[in-house]
Amino acid sequence: MKMTKLLVIAIIFSLASCKTVEPPKPVGPLPSERHLAWHDMEYYAFVHFNMNTFTDMEWGLGGESPKMFNPSELDVRQWAKVAKDAGMKGIIITAKHHDGFCLWPTKTTEHSVKNSPWKDGKGDLIKELSEACEEFGLKFGVYLSPWDRNDADYGKPEYVASYHEQLRELLTNYGEVFEVWFDGANGGTGYYGGANEERKIDNKTYYQWDKVTEIVRELQPNAVIFSDGGPDIRWVGTEEGFANETNWSIMRRDEIYPGWPRYKELRSGHQDGTHWLPAEVNTSIRPGWYYHPREDHQVKSLPRLVQTFYESIGRNGNFLLNLPVDDRGLVHETDVKQLMALKKQIDKDFSNELAQGLQVTATEVRGDDSAFDASNVNDGDDETYWATSDGVETASLTFEFDKPTEVNRILLQEYIPLGQRIIKFSVEAEVNGEWQTIDEQTTVGNKRILRFDTVEATKIKVNFLESKGPLVICNVELYRAPNLLIAPEVDRERSGMVSLSVPDDEVDVYYTLDGSEPTNNSKKYEKPFMVEKPTTLKAIGYDSETGEQSESQMTYLDIAKKDWKVVSVSSGNIDETEKLIDENPSTSWATDKGVNTPQEIIIDLGESYELKGFTYLPIQDRYPFGIITDYEFAVSSNNRSWKTVSKGEFGNVVNNRILQTINFKPTTGRYIKLKAIMVDGEDHTASFGEVGVITNEK
Ligand code: FUL
């Protein structure tokens, strides 16, 4: 009897030890299948190409004639080839922007390609592009602006019905769509069938978002829906091209709606989120979303693009990079060059993975089971993961090199089908037998990449310090990325004095003032120098040890502001107005609060110039206010009789606070007046970061 009892106990024990350990329970909310497919997209193109491309605007008013849409060399296969060669996985096109012009022959309105000279009105750009995407193995997505400044019925239920129909057309006739993009900009002034008035709608209710979602689900069940707050993926709360370091893929989604005033929270997500709502980082390769010839020299620099890569994909977001296709209908040569430079650099950064196959140990493994072993993090398989036991939410992973090895990047991935968990972690390196902390960070999510100064390490340790549950890590990679030379930064004082700087003392700076490309034979920068007249400055950083040089930085400098004086303001403290002409983008000046627009400032330029344009830099503060959205600009030779030379809207200036450049017919004068006709915000103050002019001076 005793023997049998012992045998039973032994059998139970051995069965228990054979029993495979259960995987960790999910920590919700969780991603859906369509989310997981979207996370894999990582990097794809936005294309802003529509009526604005031909009117040189950012936000068309809606009254533009379809006749103006007439690309001379349109080639959507070139777009697709460029995107493919750049390593992108899809293209999202502005099928309709706020001005209402449709790039496909919709049945809902006459305001479309069918009434344009392009292909004698027989063209269908959406069809061409969807086919080109298929040919090049890219996914295809559509942007359909809810706001429509052309439609006479905008504001009434009739427009919403037609909007839903447009969506149906786009999702029915053009094959598989991976993402549908709904913009947050809404209501306001417009053409509206000739009414030319302001129309306000309620963002939350007017478009019947539930119905919109229903249409997408019915016609394209695999597509993700983008808007400020989803329902599937979210805007990242800035158009500058970054997510915050802390970036949860979850949010309290029901609090969010288009135009949500707490949009800055979109940059970080919510640790206690109720829905999976990951961030898409959208930004343009140029200052504007649409093509403007004046921005041909402002295509983002390689270091800036690389930074955006690390601050989007490297911070648990997807990277949606906009290409403003030009009025020929092609991705501009300069943009192509930068895209390829970015591809090459990222390929270089991640060319030599150092962690794979290394000896890796964990302080704890789930149930001591080899299925969840630490070696799963560097086996090159994202479906296997290292996990800790229930209740173990702090643990470390240590990688051991055979010999001291240079490292400056670490890439970490949580196994997100089981939820996003990590709240805090740190990275240490063992250098010359001593441990040093490299970084202390917060979230990981689908992918987190840290860049740090190169260390020659014998071991790398990741300490997971706080988590929402047991740890579930599917991938860790280590790299030694090459150094990237940064182009010089240009600073100019009011006097006209210019200084150039690079972050690295070892790097020399060379420059030219005649528009030619600098080399290490050009003038070497030793000390600040004077530029008083309009000049094109180009500068490079040069490493004499390696012979490597940075991209060249081109800056256009107009007349120096040394004799300028603000002589009159409609309200506000005139003694502080220097801030709007001090060449310092981080200082600003504003009129008094609560005074109704128009508000204005008058500047005496000190002498008479032939003026052909002006610039307005919106306030660059973290919490901006009083941005001028509608302006009037006048010139005078005596500060008494004025000539209005330009009047209009700074399109999209609130979302994208870039330098606004307005050209007008050359006019001679000594005094300039900038009037704020309309400003953003409720407090009726007009703010000015910097005001400048463009002259014909030689
Ligand atoms: C914004 C729009 O108003 C811009 O024009 C642009 O389309 C950008 C991507 O979204 O909200």
Short mmCIF file of all heavy atoms in Angstrom, two decimals, residues 147 154-156 186-188 199-207:
data_model
loop_
_atom_site.label_atom_id
_atom_site.label_comp_id
_atom_site.label_asym_id
_atom_site.label_seq_id
_atom_site.Cartn_x
_atom_site.Cartn_y
_atom_site.Cartn_z
N TRP A 147 -13.19 68.28 -44.26
CA TRP A 147 -13.45 69.70 -44.55
C TRP A 147 -13.38 69.89 -46.06
O TRP A 147 -12.43 69.43 -46.71
CB TRP A 147 -12.41 70.54 -43.84
CG TRP A 147 -12.62 72.02 -43.94
CD1 TRP A 147 -13.78 72.68 -44.22
CD2 TRP A 147 -11.63 73.04 -43.74
NE1 TRP A 147 -13.58 74.04 -44.21
CE2 TRP A 147 -12.26 74.29 -43.91
CE3 TRP A 147 -10.27 73.01 -43.42
CZ2 TRP A 147 -11.58 75.50 -43.77
CZ3 TRP A 147 -9.58 74.21 -43.29
CH2 TRP A 147 -10.23 75.44 -43.46
N TYR A 154 -21.50 72.37 -47.83
CA TYR A 154 -20.70 72.11 -46.63
C TYR A 154 -21.38 72.75 -45.42
O TYR A 154 -21.75 73.93 -45.45
CB TYR A 154 -19.27 72.67 -46.77
CG TYR A 154 -18.43 72.30 -45.58
CD1 TYR A 154 -17.91 71.02 -45.44
CD2 TYR A 154 -18.22 73.22 -44.54
CE1 TYR A 154 -17.19 70.65 -44.31
CE2 TYR A 154 -17.50 72.86 -43.41
CZ TYR A 154 -16.99 71.58 -43.30
OH TYR A 154 -16.28 71.22 -42.18
N GLY A 155 -21.56 71.97 -44.38
CA GLY A 155 -22.26 72.45 -43.18
C GLY A 155 -23.65 71.83 -43.09
O GLY A 155 -24.22 71.74 -42.02
N LYS A 156 -24.18 71.36 -44.25
CA LYS A 156 -25.52 70.74 -44.24
C LYS A 156 -25.38 69.21 -44.30
O LYS A 156 -24.34 68.69 -44.70
CB LYS A 156 -26.29 71.19 -45.49
CG LYS A 156 -26.50 72.67 -45.60
CD LYS A 156 -27.59 72.92 -46.65
CE LYS A 156 -27.38 74.26 -47.32
NZ LYS A 156 -27.63 74.24 -48.75
N ASN A 186 -10.76 71.55 -39.69
CA ASN A 186 -12.19 71.56 -39.90
C ASN A 186 -12.83 72.92 -39.87
O ASN A 186 -12.50 73.72 -39.01
CB ASN A 186 -12.84 70.78 -38.76
CG ASN A 186 -13.22 69.42 -39.21
OD1 ASN A 186 -13.98 69.29 -40.14
ND2 ASN A 186 -12.65 68.42 -38.57
N GLY A 187 -13.80 73.12 -40.78
CA GLY A 187 -14.63 74.33 -40.73
C GLY A 187 -13.83 75.60 -40.87
O GLY A 187 -12.61 75.58 -40.86
N GLY A 188 -14.50 76.71 -41.06
CA GLY A 188 -13.83 78.00 -41.21
C GLY A 188 -14.24 78.63 -42.53
O GLY A 188 -15.24 78.23 -43.14
N ARG A 199 -17.98 78.93 -42.21
CA ARG A 199 -18.96 77.93 -41.79
C ARG A 199 -18.38 77.08 -40.68
O ARG A 199 -17.31 76.53 -40.83
CB ARG A 199 -19.37 77.04 -42.97
CG ARG A 199 -20.12 77.83 -44.00
CD ARG A 199 -20.78 76.94 -45.02
NE ARG A 199 -21.42 77.77 -46.02
CZ ARG A 199 -21.91 77.31 -47.17
NH1 ARG A 199 -21.83 76.03 -47.44
NH2 ARG A 199 -22.48 78.13 -48.02
N LYS A 200 -19.12 76.98 -39.60
CA LYS A 200 -18.62 76.19 -38.47
C LYS A 200 -19.44 74.92 -38.34
O LYS A 200 -20.65 74.95 -38.51
CB LYS A 200 -18.71 77.01 -37.20
CG LYS A 200 -17.74 78.17 -37.21
CD LYS A 200 -17.23 78.49 -35.80
CE LYS A 200 -16.02 79.38 -35.87
NZ LYS A 200 -16.18 80.66 -35.21
N ILE A 201 -18.77 73.84 -38.02
CA ILE A 201 -19.48 72.57 -37.81
C ILE A 201 -19.00 71.98 -36.49
O ILE A 201 -17.98 72.42 -35.96
CB ILE A 201 -19.21 71.58 -38.97
CG1 ILE A 201 -17.71 71.42 -39.24
CG2 ILE A 201 -19.89 72.01 -40.25
CD1 ILE A 201 -17.04 70.34 -38.53
N ASP A 202 -19.71 71.00 -35.99
CA ASP A 202 -19.27 70.34 -34.77
C ASP A 202 -18.47 69.10 -35.17
O ASP A 202 -19.03 68.12 -35.69
CB ASP A 202 -20.51 69.96 -33.94
CG ASP A 202 -20.13 69.27 -32.64
OD1 ASP A 202 -18.93 68.91 -32.48
OD2 ASP A 202 -21.00 69.10 -31.77
N ASN A 203 -17.16 69.17 -34.92
CA ASN A 203 -16.25 68.08 -35.30
C ASN A 203 -16.70 66.72 -34.80
O ASN A 203 -16.41 65.70 -35.41
CB ASN A 203 -14.88 68.28 -34.64
CG ASN A 203 -14.12 69.39 -35.29
OD1 ASN A 203 -14.42 69.74 -36.41
ND2 ASN A 203 -13.13 69.91 -34.60
N LYS A 204 -17.34 66.72 -33.63
CA LYS A 204 -17.64 65.43 -33.01
C LYS A 204 -18.81 64.75 -33.71
O LYS A 204 -18.86 63.53 -33.78
CB LYS A 204 -18.04 65.63 -31.54
CG LYS A 204 -16.87 65.98 -30.67
CD LYS A 204 -17.32 65.88 -29.22
CE LYS A 204 -16.52 66.84 -28.38
NZ LYS A 204 -17.06 67.17 -27.11
N THR A 205 -19.78 65.55 -34.18
CA THR A 205 -21.02 64.95 -34.66
C THR A 205 -21.26 65.09 -36.16
O THR A 205 -21.85 64.21 -36.78
CB THR A 205 -22.22 65.59 -33.93
OG1 THR A 205 -22.11 67.02 -34.12
CG2 THR A 205 -22.21 65.26 -32.46
N TYR A 206 -20.80 66.21 -36.75
CA TYR A 206 -21.22 66.53 -38.12
C TYR A 206 -20.97 65.42 -39.14
O TYR A 206 -21.84 65.06 -39.93
CB TYR A 206 -20.56 67.85 -38.56
CG TYR A 206 -20.91 68.24 -39.99
CD1 TYR A 206 -22.24 68.42 -40.38
CD2 TYR A 206 -19.92 68.41 -40.95
CE1 TYR A 206 -22.57 68.77 -41.69
CE2 TYR A 206 -20.23 68.76 -42.26
CZ TYR A 206 -21.55 68.93 -42.62
OH TYR A 206 -21.87 69.26 -43.91
N TYR A 207 -19.76 64.85 -39.11
CA TYR A 207 -19.42 63.88 -40.17
C TYR A 207 -19.96 62.47 -39.94
O TYR A 207 -19.77 61.59 -40.76
CB TYR A 207 -17.89 63.80 -40.33
CG TYR A 207 -17.27 65.13 -40.67
CD1 TYR A 207 -16.52 65.83 -39.74
CD2 TYR A 207 -17.44 65.68 -41.93
CE1 TYR A 207 -15.97 67.06 -40.05
CE2 TYR A 207 -16.89 66.91 -42.26
CZ TYR A 207 -16.15 67.60 -41.30
OH TYR A 207 -15.61 68.81 -41.62
#
